[in-house]
């Protein structure tokens, strides 16, 4: 899908879905700013994508849970890009916690990055989109359904869903469309989630995955299954779509 000269920011671009999105946008001709807290990996991903072209990417460090750092990074990115058309806000964190005794630091960390980070980055993007644009947030199936061992993370993503739908209604008047993608994709975060499960819980998780995902019985691939959706949502072809929660999950949510 053609995104020639679209001006895009991708948060969480140093690995996983963020890196996949960055590569896809540059390959479609976009000018992209990669943001992450991992400077070494973020710069490497941006340089690698630029070498392949035809678009280009450069890196700016940004902790999405720090409002001042977000504002400064977005100002710098928009100045270098000459504006902003698309924000793909992919940065997020996960940590397993016992639901009967959630540590305060875990609760604060998850909500600061996943919820505050969404609000901070979306607000910064809004200020640089006077002509309108597309904001793509990242929710989760965990925020829609009852999921064992994942309630705290799910609560943070449910907040992202509510924010996305409510703000889409408000910002549509500025021709800013806002949607949230709910991926079931293999990522480093997912690998860490699996590592935190007991052998019994992991076996139950894998059994449920095989039974409940109609298309293939497993999590999807970021490059082949998710990146094309992110390209579409960034493109003018999605100009009349806003306020939607869009599962990219092999049918898990719709048919369970």
């Amino acid at each position: 899908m053609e995104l020639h000269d679209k001006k895009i920011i991708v948060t969480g671009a140093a690995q996983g879905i963020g890196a996949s999105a960055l590569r896809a946008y540059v390959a479609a001709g976009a000018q992209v700013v990669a943001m992450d807290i991992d400077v070494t990996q973020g710069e490497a991903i941006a340089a690698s994508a630029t070498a392949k072209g035809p678009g280009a990417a450069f890196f700016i460090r940004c902790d999405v849970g720090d409002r001042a750092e977000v504002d400064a990074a977005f100002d710098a990115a928009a100045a270098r890009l000459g504006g902003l058309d698309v924000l793909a806000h992919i940065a997020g964190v996960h940590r397993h916690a016992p639901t009967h005794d959630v540590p305060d630091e875990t609760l604060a960390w998850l909500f600061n990055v996943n919820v505050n980070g969404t609000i901070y980055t979306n607000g910064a993007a809004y200020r640089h989109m006077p002509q309108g644009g597309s904001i793509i947030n990242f929710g989760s199936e965990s925020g829609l359904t009852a999921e064992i061992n994942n309630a705290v993370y799910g609560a943070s993503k449910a907040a992202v869903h509510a924010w996305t739908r409510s703000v889409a209604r408000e910002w549509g008047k500025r021709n800013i469309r806002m949607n949230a993608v709910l991926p079931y994709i293999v990522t480093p975060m997912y690998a860490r989630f699996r590592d935190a499960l007991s052998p019994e819980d992991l076996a139950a998780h894998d059994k449920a995955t095989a039974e409940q995902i109609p298309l293939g019985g497993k999590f999807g691939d970021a490059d082949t299954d998710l990146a094309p959706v992110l390209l579409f949502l960034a493109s003018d072809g999605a100009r009349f779509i806003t306020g939607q929660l869009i599962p990219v999950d092999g049918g898990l949510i719709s048919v369970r």
Side-chain angles (χ1 to χ4, degrees):
M1 189 167 293
E2 179 63 40
L3 295 177
H4 183 68
D5 287 337
K6 286 283 189 185
K7 304 170 181 68
I8 302 176
I9 290 175
V10 178
T11 69
Q15 64 175 339
I17 291 172
S20 176
L22 171 66
R23 291 190 295 265
Y25 287 146
V26 171
Q31 301 299 307
V32 185
V33 175
M35 294 187 180
D36 204 288
I37 58 172
D38 186 337
V39 176
T40 301
Q41 186 65 14
E43 289 180 340
I45 291 290
S48 175
T50 299
K52 295 180 180 179
F58 63 93
F59 178 82
I60 295 177
R61 186 193 186 281
C62 182
D63 177 353
V64 300
D66 183 322
R67 185 195 291 269
E69 191 166 330
V70 168
D71 287 343
F74 274 62
D75 287 349
R80 184 161 174 178
L81 290 170
L84 182 63
D85 299 308
V86 179
L87 165 63
H89 175 50
I90 302 171
V93 293
H94 179 277
R95 182 176 292 165
H96 176 77
T99 52
H100 65 282
D101 189 21
V102 182
D104 287 344
E105 60 272 20
T106 296
L107 193 62
W109 180 64
L110 280 171
F111 274 78
N112 185 55
V113 176
N114 293 349
V115 182
N116 293 4
T118 298
I119 294 170
Y120 296 160
T121 59
N122 288 189
Y126 174 91
R127 292 189 288 276
H128 292 289
M129 290 179 170
Q131 79 291 349
S134 174
I135 295 175
I136 306 164
N137 288 327
F138 268 68
S140 173
E141 183 268 350
S142 305
L144 281 183
T145 64
E147 192 169 74
I148 301 297
N149 292 308
N150 223 15
V152 181
Y153 173 77
S156 74
K157 287 302 184 177
V160 172
H161 300 168
W163 164 267
T164 298
R165 297 181 68 218
S166 297
V167 178
R169 183 172 184 177
E170 180 179 345
W171 291 0
K173 298 178 179 64
R174 278 272 299 266
N175 198 34
I176 295 174
R177 61 188 188 273
M178 180 183 293
N179 298 287
V181 173
L182 285 58
Y184 245 50
I185 299 294
V186 175
T187 65
M189 182 187 295
Y190 174 60
R192 290 190 292 270
F193 167 73
R194 292 177 60 88
D195 289 343
L197 297 178
S198 68
E200 295 77 15
D201 285 341
L202 180 59
H205 171 75
D206 286 341
K207 182 175 185 294
T209 298
E211 292 173 348
Q212 294 177 2
I213 297 181
L215 296 179
K218 61 182 181 180
F219 280 39
D221 177 81
D223 293 332
T224 58
D225 299 322
L226 181 57
V229 179
L230 301 182
L231 288 169
F232 170 67
L233 290 174
S235 76
D236 294 338
R239 64 184 300 275
F240 205 53
I241 300 174
T242 197
Q244 302 303 306
L245 307 181
I246 302 172
V248 184
D249 62 358
L252 172 68
I253 292 175
S254 295
V255 303
R256 72 181 339 186

